[in-house]
Amino acid sequence: MKVQNNVRQHLKKTCEAYSRTTSTVFIFFLTLFVGAFVWAQWMPVVPFHDMLTTIHSHTALPESISSKPRKPDPPSLPTLPPISCPNTTDQTQHLIKCSAPPTLLPGSLPPSSSTCPSYFRWIHEDLRPWANTGITLDMVERAKKTANFRLTIVNGSAYVQKYRQSFQTRDVFTLWGILQLLRYFPGRIPDLDLMFDCVDWPVVKAEEYNLENAPSPPPLFRYCGDESTLDIAFPDWSFWGWPEINIKPWDPLKREIEEGNKRVGWMNREPYAYWKGNPAVAKIRQELVECNVSEAHDWNARIYEQNWVKESQEGFKDSDLSKQCIHRYKIYVEGSAWSVSEKYILACDSMTLIVKPKYYDFYSRGLMPVEHYWPIRENDKCRSIKFAVDWGNSHKEKAQEIGKEASSYIQEMLKMENIYDYMFHLLTEYAKLLKYKPTVPPDATELCSELMACPAHGIEQKFMMDSVVHRPRDAGPCELPPPYSDVELKTIQSRRENSIKQVGTWEEEAWKTETRSS
């Protein structure tokens, strides 16, 4: 009994002690809470971000245990001077001044993370004739024979010496494009000296320089080449606009054609092959006109002759390229040589029918028959076009696929970013071959965006302003792929020939069946 009383007393004392302790702890935390509340009312509110900043500034971790090293700030891009035109007249053109070109050390920008499209590999092939010998001043000056102008770039500034007038404004917008390249890659284009021919057909015949003791060929830039010549293919003037026929610069026009593709679904388009252009410039086009629908024949072709004089008088209302993607098939045929129209036709997601071409431009060597286009015979165009349309209407999914593949190629691989990258790499690789230090020719004049855009008028000036580069590239150009090996070149050629041969076999089988049934 006594033991039980002792236990009760001990438990009573323990509970009383616990109660006193709990009360004390409760009063302590209550006091802290009230104090904190009062302190918060009187202290200024500090944003959480600022609070962290303050804490980090006083508690910086030693470098050895920092979680991540601080990345260096990206290099600041040079500011491009705006093109500012004073109010001038023909008598006050001297008021137009060139802005000082911005400078940028070649290694001060991060390299691009992308590899250039495969057609860039043809740069090495175009320059191969001079790979072992280099390019001397004499070689360059021998190209003057047919050149429209000589372009020299020294310390980031352009100088031009004009020899003869080009057709329309080809030379003007080619030079404008080069000036925009200098704005796109300020301070990164090496010193160089080159001759440029704005005429359609290439003229440097390879056979003349394959003979024993023959001189090295003159390097001559132009818009196209072929298998028998050594002319160097360069992006054509129309990427910056073609004012004479109201073709806009490539960037806005490419977007319009892309939107035009959406207006009429492929299945709802006219199930025929469409071509519209000037047939007077070449015999092959005059022959194409004979494939038009008539009372005697329907070759599944709808051919329209373009009268550019009439179009210009009527405001080009019937030559909007973005509204010409309404047929399932479109025809590309060369003019006097290669034709600017190629990229506009391929940009439509209609299946392109290409009449066997002789010439190539800088990007078209990346196109493959039956993958990007359907090959058409040169010597039997009408029947070949009819078979292509019949085949496409019987294999609609494949025909659509070919059209979309070409359209994607043009839309993605021919962005202006890639055009400038191609120009950059071509000119850089060319400059590496020069065996002399370029200097400004005595008769050359300095060229800059202001001197070209400010005196221009009307649609010419508009196209220049619409295509001006406003800010430089924030990284280096895409990475130039290596040259093709001999095996790769043979494989490409065999693949192209086999695809064309396969289509030819299908055509002949269809024609034999048609003959037997009739």
Side-chain angles (χ1 to χ4, degrees):
M1 191 65 150
K2 186 176 180 181
V3 172
Q4 291 175 346
N5 289 335
N6 289 338
V7 170
R8 289 191 186 98
Q9 291 176 358
H10 177 71
L11 289 172
K12 181 178 180 182
K13 291 178 180 180
T14 300
C15 290
E16 289 174 352
Y18 177 77
S19 177
R20 287 195 299 273
T21 302
T22 303
S23 300
T24 302
V25 171
F26 175 77
I27 293 171
F28 174 76
F29 279 105
L30 179 62
T31 303
L32 283 179
F33 176 79
V34 173
F37 178 80
V38 173
W39 179 79
Q41 299 302 309
W42 287 93
M43 290 297 291
V45 177
V46 180
F48 183 68
H49 172 75
D50 293 346
M51 188 183 298
L52 285 180
T53 303
T54 303
I55 292 172
H56 286 308
S57 66
H58 291 287
T59 59
L61 293 173
E63 186 176 348
S64 60
I65 61 173
S66 295
S67 58
K68 290 183 179 180
R70 184 175 181 274
K71 293 182 179 180
D73 294 332
S76 57
L77 294 174
T79 301
L80 293 180
I83 298 178
S84 178
C85 297
N87 292 325
T88 60
T89 64
D90 292 340
Q91 289 75 33
T92 58
Q93 294 293 319
H94 64 280
L95 296 177
I96 301 173
K97 304 295 182 182
C98 292
S99 301
T103 57
L104 184 67
L105 295 177
S108 62
L109 286 178
S112 173
S113 59
S114 64
T115 301
C116 303
S118 60
Y119 67 81
F120 278 57
R121 300 180 75 178
W122 292 99
I123 289 174
H124 305 291
E125 298 306 310
D126 285 350
L127 297 177
R128 190 180 294 277
W130 304 277
N132 296 326
T133 63
I135 297 172
T136 65
L137 178 60
D138 174 69
M139 294 179 194
V140 171
E141 291 184 336
R142 280 194 284 114
K144 177 183 176 180
K145 182 178 178 181
T146 64
N148 289 91
F149 64 82
R150 180 178 191 166
L151 171 73
T152 307
I153 296 177
V154 175
N155 295 327
S157 294
Y159 303 86
V160 66
Q161 190 173 10
K162 290 196 175 185
Y163 299 126
R164 51 188 57 85
Q165 184 66 36
S166 74
F167 178 65
Q168 297 180 340
T169 52
R170 291 184 178 194
D171 56 346
V172 171
F173 279 86
T174 299
L175 289 166
W176 175 258
I178 292 169
L179 291 178
Q180 301 321 298
L181 174 70
L182 296 179
R183 291 172 67 88
Y184 195 65
F185 288 114
R188 296 173 69 84
I189 307 301
D191 291 358
L192 55 86
D193 185 23
L194 62 83
M195 297 286 183
F196 205 108
D197 188 337
C198 300
V199 177
D200 281 341
W201 47 88
V203 296
V204 185
K205 305 295 184 183
E207 63 182 10
E208 296 179 7
Y209 303 96
N210 291 332
L211 302 175
E212 188 177 354
N213 298 324
S216 297
L220 181 61
F221 286 73
R222 69 173 350 96
Y223 310 119
C224 70
D226 63 28
E227 297 302 322
S228 65
T229 57
L230 303 175
D231 301 60
I232 302 169
F234 193 83
D236 72 82
W237 74 95
S238 68
F239 282 100
W240 297 273
W242 190 354
E244 286 83 3
I245 59 174
N246 197 41
I247 290 183
K248 300 176 183 177
W250 180 234
D251 251 352
L253 179 56
K254 183 164 67 74
R255 288 192 296 269
E256 290 181 5
I257 296 176
E258 188 174 17
E259 288 301 313
N261 281 331
K262 302 173 184 177
R263 291 194 184 105
V264 182
W266 194 91
M267 291 298 296
N268 294 324
R269 296 181 187 180
E270 295 290 328
Y272 303 108
Y274 170 92
W275 182 81
K276 187 173 186 177
N278 180 7
V281 298
K283 179 181 178 182
I284 192 171
R285 289 190 175 186
Q286 294 165 12
E287 294 170 350
L288 178 66
V289 173
E290 297 174 5
C291 301
N292 209 353
V293 61
S294 66
E295 294 181 359
H297 295 285
D298 186 352
W299 301 110
N300 290 334
R302 300 297 182 262
I303 311 297
Y304 300 89
E305 296 187 36
Q306 180 75 291
N307 185 330
W308 285 114
V309 175
K310 181 180 178 183
E311 274 296 293
S312 63
Q313 294 171 346
E314 297 179 356
F316 301 97
K317 62 182 180 64
D318 292 325
S319 57
D320 188 338
L321 295 173
S322 67
K323 296 179 180 178
Q324 294 183 11
C325 302
I326 58 174
H327 292 74
R328 291 181 184 175
Y329 314 94
K330 295 195 70 175
I331 300 170
Y332 168 73
V333 60
E334 293 177 335
S336 57
W338 145 94
S339 172
V340 167
S341 64
E342 183 179 36
K343 58 180 174 290
Y344 308 128
I345 292 171
L346 289 165
C348 279
D349 57 8
S350 305
M351 186 172 84
T352 299
L353 314 183
I354 295 186
V355 179
K356 184 181 178 180
K358 178 182 178 182
Y359 303 94
Y360 56 76
D361 59 16
F362 75 100
Y363 71 85
S364 62
R365 286 169 284 186
L367 299 171
M368 274 292 166
V370 191
E371 180 181 346
H372 300 103
Y373 67 91
W374 190 270
I376 299 297
R377 297 183 186 223
E378 179 186 12
N379 58 356
D380 201 349
K381 287 182 275 298
C382 300
R383 282 207 304 170
S384 192
I385 289 170
K386 184 179 187 306
F387 172 79
V389 173
D390 287 341
W391 182 92
N393 289 336
S394 299
H395 302 78
K396 297 182 180 66
E397 289 186 4
K398 182 60 179 175
Q400 289 182 75
E401 180 184 324
I402 294 172
K404 288 181 179 178
E405 195 67 28
S407 182
S408 296
Y409 182 97
I410 297 299
Q411 293 288 346
E412 295 301 320
M413 301 301 181
L414 253 61
K415 294 177 179 177
M416 282 307 298
E417 175 182 317
N418 288 335
I419 306 305
Y420 286 124
D421 282 0
Y422 190 94
M423 295 163 67
F424 175 93
H425 284 303
L426 175 57
L427 295 181
T428 299
E429 296 302 309
Y430 171 83
K432 290 177 184 178
L433 296 172
L434 294 180
K435 306 291 285 185
Y436 64 98
K437 181 177 175 58
T439 57
V440 181
D443 296 332
T445 57
E446 184 177 6
L447 199 63
C448 65
S449 296
E450 290 89 348
L451 288 174
M452 291 200 75
C454 294
H457 300 285
I459 195 170
E460 287 186 28
Q461 188 179 69
K462 177 179 178 359
F463 283 177
M464 288 180 181
M465 293 304 186
D466 288 348
S467 60
V468 70
V469 168
H470 293 288
R471 68 186 307 270
R473 178 78 168 265
D474 58 2
C478 59
E479 183 180 348
L480 181 64
Y484 285 114
S485 66
D486 290 341
V487 173
E488 287 176 311
L489 288 172
K490 289 179 181 177
T491 300
I492 291 171
Q493 184 65 21
S494 295
R495 182 182 166 197
R496 182 176 287 115
E497 289 175 354
N498 290 338
S499 294
I500 294 173
K501 188 180 297 183
Q502 177 64 75
V503 171
T505 300
W506 291 339
E507 287 180 334
E508 290 169 4
E509 291 174 352
W511 295 340
K512 288 178 182 178
T513 301
E514 182 179 331
T515 300
R516 285 195 298 266
S517 62
S518 61

